[in-house]
Amino acid sequence: AEILLLVPNENVNRTADKMAGVKKIVESKLKDIQVEFVKTNPQSMKIVVGFKSKQLRDKGKEKIDSCHSLESLEYHTMSGSKMLPKIYLSNVSEDILGEVDESLEGVERRNTEKAVIISKILDKNPGVVELKSAGHTLDVVYINRNESSKTISIGLKVSPAIRETILEKQGGNLYLGNTRYQVKDRYHVKS
């Protein structure tokens, strides 16, 4: 889920009644937007609102930010950070990037390569297409090249539903072009 936080302003009197009032306002403001959940945290006095997609979250934030009664209750919005699952594919032939213009450089080239990879994934993985069109996250996080073997490794950030589709329903495989690639979870370990 995409998260939106409602946080009390600094140096204000934080009460459960004030938080309950803010929650009611939020729920009424978002009644025409698909909301996954609205939760309160009595310790921090924060309210967490979950949305299915970034677009819905942005629309919800816009509606909430336009509400002047929240200002009088001394609350403001913040986008919540979240950790989406990361998966990766390795030993993918560089040939899948064949349609990328060789003259492109830097950020423009990386963005074009990422778009081509997403397009190739959506071409051959119908379960992923369905979820992506419903607003689920599918982003290329990195592309690492192995010049000696002419292959790339691709890191993807995906919604939990897309991860489940790939690992459970597709047997841990993604199809790119005419080739099946084994997908593995990517764990980031902080030291």
Side-chain angles (χ1 to χ4, degrees):
E2 293 285 336
I3 303 298
L4 182 66
L5 293 173
L6 284 102
V7 182
N9 296 344
E10 293 293 318
N11 303 318
V12 299
N13 185 16
R14 301 173 182 204
T15 66
D17 288 343
K18 193 181 280 188
M19 183 177 65
V22 170
K23 183 180 178 192
K24 276 186 183 175
I25 292 168
V26 167
E27 288 171 335
S28 83
K29 279 289 184 188
L30 300 179
K31 65 180 177 276
D32 61 339
I33 296 177
Q34 185 180 359
V35 174
E36 298 293 308
F37 59 83
V38 178
K39 297 180 181 175
T40 56
N41 182 327
Q43 280 80 33
S44 66
M45 293 294 163
K46 293 179 183 175
I47 299 169
V48 182
V49 185
F51 299 89
K52 192 175 219 170
S53 69
K54 185 178 185 309
Q55 293 83 4
L56 288 172
R57 184 196 68 199
D58 292 346
K59 194 184 291 185
K61 182 176 182 347
E62 189 177 306
K63 280 191 165 242
I64 291 169
D65 285 345
S66 70
C67 177
H68 299 294
S69 52
L70 282 180
E71 289 175 26
S72 66
L73 289 169
E74 300 174 314
Y75 266 76
H76 64 278
T77 58
M78 289 176 54
S79 294
S81 61
K82 62 176 180 157
M83 291 294 290
L84 285 174
K86 311 292 187 300
I87 57 176
Y88 72 96
L89 305 83
S90 53
N91 298 319
V92 176
S93 172
E94 277 187 338
D95 295 343
I96 69 158
L97 299 175
E99 59 195 63
V100 175
D101 184 351
E102 290 295 319
S103 67
L104 296 176
E105 294 180 359
V107 173
E108 188 178 6
R109 180 174 183 88
R110 278 193 305 279
N111 289 339
T112 303
E113 289 175 345
K114 289 176 178 184
V116 165
I117 290 168
I118 295 295
S119 171
K120 299 275 185 185
I121 290 170
L122 296 176
D123 282 346
K124 297 286 184 165
N125 300 277
V128 175
V129 172
E130 193 176 301
L131 292 168
K132 175 78 171 149
S133 63
H136 287 264
T137 301
L138 172 66
D139 294 322
V140 175
V141 179
Y142 67 82
I143 303 167
N144 289 337
R145 288 180 163 65
N146 183 335
E147 298 297 331
S148 63
S149 65
K150 301 285 186 212
T151 61
I152 57 175
S153 294
I154 303 167
L156 300 169
K157 176 170 63 173
V158 297
S159 70
I162 289 179
R163 179 188 174 277
E164 181 182 332
T165 295
I166 294 168
L167 294 179
E168 305 293 324
K169 296 178 182 168
Q170 293 185 189
N173 298 303
L174 261 181
Y175 299 88
L176 296 172
N178 295 323
T179 308
R180 177 180 69 187
Y181 294 95
Q182 186 70 38
V183 174
K184 296 186 173 97
D185 279 314
R186 180 174 186 270
Y187 299 101
H188 179 73
V189 179
K190 290 186 178 183
S191 52

